[in-house]
Amino acid sequence: MRKLKAQYIFDGVQLLKLATLVINKNGKIETILHNNTTETAGEEFFNGILCPGFVNAHCHLELSHYRNQIPQHTGLSEFVKNIVSLRNSLSGAMEAIQVADLEMQRNGIVAVGDISNNDTSFVTKQQSSIHYHTFIELLDLFNKNSQEFERGKQLFSSYFHSMPLSLTAHSPYTCSRKLIERITEHATEYEYPLSIHNQECEGENEMYRTNSGTLYEQIFADNTPAGATSSQTTGSANAKRPFFKYGKTSLQTYSTWLPQNSHILFIHNTHTSQADIDFLKRNLPNLQYTFVVCPKSNAYIAGEVPPLDLFLKNKLNVAIGTDSLASNTELNIVNELFALQQAFSEVSLEQLLTCATHNGARALGIQRNFGAFEKGKTPGVNLLEHIDFANMKLQRTTTIQKLL
Ligand SMILES: [Zn+2]
């Protein structure tokens, strides 16, 4: 049995002063002793805040070898173009995946929602001490949706006995309605969470409203989609595919195609509005979802900030993601929280830590073991050091030490 004390203990939802965390020899939480002012033998004291291991709700481990390869602040379309153009020229994918996994372990991350296009990262994930939920990402921009869906299903069938898996849609702007509906059907059968990049740029909303706009032009102007037939095109020289044009924002459109019994992780949401949130609440009251924010990735790609205040005001479940090393310089949840604190000084440290622990666990459906110091759970223990205790804020110098 270990008894851990610090200035504060964050239990998953609140900061506790004068508390002691009791852990059994298997690393399971035994209890939290409150108002424990008496010193007992064998107690360990730490300078800082003890909190449960972090949940990184959005990463792409398989893109780790893109670290420092893509220029910053060019916008989403340029970013995607760069990813595609570097695909065959970069090497060292496997080594970079292993390094990234170790980096997350060191930074106190205990569970990850990880996007995969293929099985390159699967061995590392299976062997890691981190709990990974893998989302096999499908997109049918340039493929037939039936082929792409079959590819995903095969990968799913090969691995779903040995690791937590989902099929998932990459984004509203790269997936047809038919593909999203096929995934919905599969998710309903297997009851897994879904993850979708949502409203990362305004061009995505334009595309769904009007079948035009910057993102649409960039994607379709130079490319004739392989699956496009003459009846699917406008007949113009650009052979555009008008499968969008729903007259509403992307979220207000495709959310109605999603399963009602799966937890949905909406990723990014930098261009999600109050009207979009009202739409979900009014029209899909049974939809279970989390808004995952990846502030450092948004800053890297487009110099943007996700509207965290809007999501918290609406009492949404908000979780934190690092996104991949293609659009981030590191995989470190504390620095994501610091970036959010810089943008939203009114958001409390308690709220930020709740997003990084309890809410992330809820998003991935792993709250039975992770995200909180509660009896019987094995959430890991992190020590946050160099906190500004006078103002209860993180500092640029705040560091993380993984204790357990
Ligand atoms: Zn992503």
Side-chain angles (χ1 to χ4, degrees):
M1 208 74 88
R2 285 179 78 182
K3 291 182 176 179
L4 311 182
K5 270 183 128 166
Q7 270 90 346
Y8 286 90
I9 289 178
F10 175 77
D11 66 0
V13 285
Q14 56 179 334
L15 283 160
L16 307 165
K17 218 174 172 177
L18 301 173
T20 304
L21 178 66
V22 185
I23 300 170
N24 75 18
K25 61 180 191 313
N26 300 320
K28 274 193 183 167
I29 305 300
E30 199 57 44
T31 188
I32 291 182
L33 305 171
H34 295 271
N35 297 317
N36 186 27
T37 48
T38 52
E39 263 185 47
T40 52
E43 264 179 10
E44 302 166 63
F45 188 84
F46 296 92
N47 208 351
I49 297 175
L50 295 174
C51 75
F54 294 132
V55 178
N56 181 0
H58 184 68
C59 189
H60 305 239
L61 212 50
E62 69 186 13
L63 298 180
S64 298
H65 59 306
Y66 282 76
R67 195 195 296 238
N68 299 325
Q69 295 295 324
I70 298 184
Q72 300 194 23
H73 315 308
T74 58
L76 183 62
S77 332
E78 267 315 299
F79 177 80
V80 173
K81 266 191 188 170
N82 279 317
I83 290 269
V84 173
S85 72
L86 285 169
R87 191 175 286 159
N88 298 320
S89 59
L90 293 179
S91 60
M94 284 302 288
E95 295 79 358
I97 286 167
Q98 287 163 10
V99 169
D101 172 62
L102 292 173
E103 178 179 336
M104 285 200 276
Q105 292 184 35
R106 259 197 327 276
N107 288 334
I109 293 167
V110 294
V112 178
D114 191 63
I115 310 292
S116 291
N117 277 275
N118 54 52
D119 61 2
T120 331
S121 60
F122 286 14
V123 174
T124 303
K125 288 194 265 199
Q126 285 172 325
Q127 292 173 353
S128 174
S129 66
I130 291 177
H131 170 94
Y132 282 97
H133 186 104
T134 297
F135 296 94
I136 298 172
E137 180 176 77
L138 306 181
L139 62 163
D140 63 344
L141 199 51
F142 303 113
N143 296 313
K144 289 210 170 94
N145 69 67
S146 54
Q147 284 169 357
E148 178 67 350
F149 183 69
E150 283 309 314
R151 182 185 76 81
K153 245 176 40 176
Q154 268 178 22
L155 202 52
F156 183 89
S157 305
S158 310
Y159 289 95
F160 85 100
H161 294 290
S162 57
M163 56 196 282
L165 270 188
S166 300
L167 294 186
T168 213
H170 167 258
S171 75
Y173 66 89
T174 50
C175 293
S176 65
R177 175 176 185 162
K178 185 75 200 158
L179 181 61
I180 295 177
E181 285 174 344
R182 281 174 192 260
I183 293 169
T184 288
E185 212 173 290
H186 197 257
T188 303
E189 187 181 344
Y190 287 90
E191 298 181 325
Y192 50 62
L194 291 181
S195 172
I196 183 163
H197 295 91
N198 177 63
Q199 295 174 304
E200 194 177 351
C201 71
E202 194 47 38
E204 179 184 307
N205 286 326
E206 281 178 274
M207 201 178 210
Y208 268 70
R209 279 203 195 96
T210 63
N211 214 41
S212 63
T214 44
L215 187 65
Y216 189 92
E217 292 308 324
Q218 215 131 10
I219 291 175
F220 291 116
D222 317 328
N223 302 292
T224 304
T229 65
S230 57
S231 65
Q232 288 174 301
T233 66
T234 58
S236 75
N238 290 333
K240 290 172 184 169
R241 241 189 345 184
F243 64 71
F244 303 101
K245 196 167 189 178
Y246 295 97
K248 290 185 285 190
T249 66
S250 61
L251 184 63
Q252 291 185 40
T253 309
Y254 78 84
S255 58
T256 60
W257 312 333
L258 297 173
Q260 299 290 306
N261 64 338
S262 296
H263 196 100
I264 315 292
L265 286 79
F266 293 114
I267 314 295
H268 292 307
N269 318 301
T270 35
H271 293 266
T272 302
S273 67
Q274 182 64 52
D276 291 322
I277 296 168
D278 290 342
F279 178 90
L280 292 182
K281 289 187 173 181
R282 198 176 47 242
N283 295 292
L284 301 165
N286 297 323
L287 194 72
Q288 298 296 310
Y289 54 91
T290 294
F291 273 34
V292 178
V293 294
C294 309
K296 290 194 68 207
S297 172
N298 300 151
Y300 189 108
I301 293 176
E304 293 183 326
V305 180
L308 175 68
D309 49 349
L310 176 71
F311 305 153
L312 293 177
K313 191 179 87 188
N314 282 279
K315 300 193 170 12
L316 303 181
N317 193 57
V318 177
I320 311 292
T322 58
D323 212 346
S324 77
L325 286 169
S327 60
N328 205 334
T329 53
E330 59 183 348
L331 304 175
N332 188 337
I333 294 292
V334 176
N335 290 342
E336 301 293 334
L337 298 183
F338 182 72
L340 289 171
Q341 183 187 277
Q342 294 291 88
F344 303 98
S345 57
E346 72 284 8
V347 175
S348 71
L349 183 56
E350 257 179 4
Q351 286 177 297
L352 291 173
L353 290 173
T354 302
C355 294
T357 55
H358 172 270
N359 292 0
R362 195 174 144 202
L364 294 176
I366 52 172
Q367 55 280 58
R368 201 179 287 263
N369 285 317
F370 294 96
F373 290 148
E374 283 171 14
K375 188 174 168 59
K377 295 187 178 181
T378 48
V381 181
N382 287 338
L383 171 66
L384 287 163
E385 294 176 287
H386 311 293
I387 301 289
D388 170 5
F389 280 116
N391 300 300
M392 272 323 241
K393 294 281 179 197
L394 300 171
Q395 307 188 91
R396 201 170 291 281
T397 52
T398 298
T399 53
I400 179 87
Q401 201 191 127
K402 182 180 167 67
L403 297 184
L404 204 73

